[in-house]
Amino acid sequence: MRDHERVKMTVLMCAVCLLGACSDSIADPPTTTALLTQPRESAEPVGGEPTGESAETDAVAPQTSPPTDVETVAPSPIIPETGVPGLDSPDLFCASWSQWAGSYQVISVTSAFGGGAPADVAGLEVIASTVVVEANSNLLAAWPEEIESERTIGADKLFGPLTRRLTVALEALESAGADEPMLVTIRTAWLNALAARDSTNPEFSVDLPEEIWAVVDAAVTDFLSRLVPFGNDSSLIIEADTHPIDDYIASTCPDQGTLLGSEVSG
């Protein structure tokens, strides 16, 4: 992030698995072809033209029963190319998931494919910490009853590794002098960047004032003195079966599972 080119940090947005490594637990977003029901053409009369009262009735009587040989299927919600889906979901769990997983996605792809130095990735981590730590708390506070039995695994094994790492990043940011108003500014800038992210564009931009970048730079130095770079942190590998949580997110939240990704060992 030298020369303040971090406001145009390059991120290779591509179809990869993003919570540490790939696995077959990741489902492609469901695609459903809508079969449009069209009105039937009038059938030719059998045995000649109808006559009398029957003809008059047939001419005006509406068709009261729908066609039985054409199936109508509601189309699946469309996942937009711009913006992390679900950030503004009215469901607190889903909105928090999108904030948490969308942040992880950007950091992971930058680390793996962005070609930046560890300090560049750490800069993203420091900024994202203002969103990820809070999103984790909200995820656990709004944990769905349908997967209540998975809460401990979710808190410790799925969301825990990144959240614990970025809690250290947030501490470094606060130690570098970030007060509450500055933290709010950084958090807002990160959420705005997620909302504007174009998955077809390799650029990911975070707009912050120069005085805040100076604080972020100081936090990055402190953060990297405490932890190894993101790409070298083996604790981020998920060593648990999180399929029930993954399935719930894919079937319930607006991203339909496009933000999912995990490695299950064993």
Side-chain angles (χ1 to χ4, degrees):
M1 297 201 306
R2 302 284 70 81
D3 300 326
H4 299 287
E5 284 300 317
R6 57 223 135 180
V7 295
K8 291 292 181 182
M9 286 177 280
T10 299
V11 178
L12 179 61
M13 295 300 174
C14 57
V16 295
C17 312
L18 295 164
L19 298 189
C22 295
S23 80
D24 57 10
S25 67
I26 304 170
D28 293 331
T31 56
T32 303
T33 301
L35 302 177
L36 302 180
T37 302
Q38 299 183 3
R40 292 177 174 178
E41 296 181 356
S42 300
E44 291 292 330
V46 178
E49 292 289 334
T51 58
E53 183 177 276
S54 173
E56 201 174 324
T57 302
D58 290 344
V60 297
Q63 183 177 341
T64 56
S65 59
T68 58
D69 58 343
V70 179
E71 180 184 1
T72 302
V73 181
S76 296
I78 297 173
I79 302 298
E81 289 185 352
T82 301
V84 173
L87 290 173
D88 57 354
S89 172
D91 183 322
L92 179 60
F93 177 85
C94 288
S96 301
W97 158 254
S98 290
Q99 293 171 15
W100 187 94
S103 299
Y104 205 157
Q105 185 181 85
V106 170
I107 296 167
S108 296
V109 175
T110 304
S111 176
F113 302 102
D120 296 337
V121 179
L124 290 179
E125 293 183 88
V126 166
I127 298 169
S129 69
T130 59
V131 169
V132 168
V133 174
E134 180 178 343
N136 178 75
S137 296
N138 289 336
L139 276 166
L140 299 180
W143 196 261
E145 291 183 2
E146 293 88 334
I147 50 172
E148 179 59 36
S149 62
E150 305 298 316
R151 191 178 187 279
T152 299
I153 288 177
D156 184 43
K157 302 295 186 181
L158 179 56
F159 304 112
L162 179 70
T163 302
R164 287 188 287 269
R165 180 178 173 87
L166 293 202
T167 296
V168 177
L170 183 59
E171 292 170 353
L173 187 57
E174 292 171 339
S175 296
D179 56 13
E180 188 58 32
M182 187 178 292
L183 293 175
V184 171
T185 298
I186 296 171
R187 181 178 188 279
T188 300
W190 183 257
L191 288 175
N192 287 343
L194 292 181
R197 193 202 77 185
D198 182 353
S199 61
T200 66
N201 190 325
E203 282 193 347
F204 182 81
S205 301
V206 183
D207 294 319
L208 289 170
E210 286 298 314
E211 58 271 21
I212 293 183
W213 279 120
V215 174
V216 170
D217 281 345
V220 165
T221 301
D222 183 13
F223 178 49
L224 288 179
S225 73
R226 304 191 200 189
L227 297 179
V228 299
F230 181 91
N232 297 335
D233 192 344
S234 61
S235 73
L236 294 173
I237 297 175
I238 297 171
E239 298 181 337
D241 182 358
T242 62
H243 283 86
I245 304 171
D246 297 349
D247 292 344
Y248 177 86
I249 290 170
S251 64
T252 305
C253 295
D255 69 291
Q256 301 178 54
T258 59
L259 296 174
L260 280 169
S262 60
E263 179 171 323
V264 179
S265 27

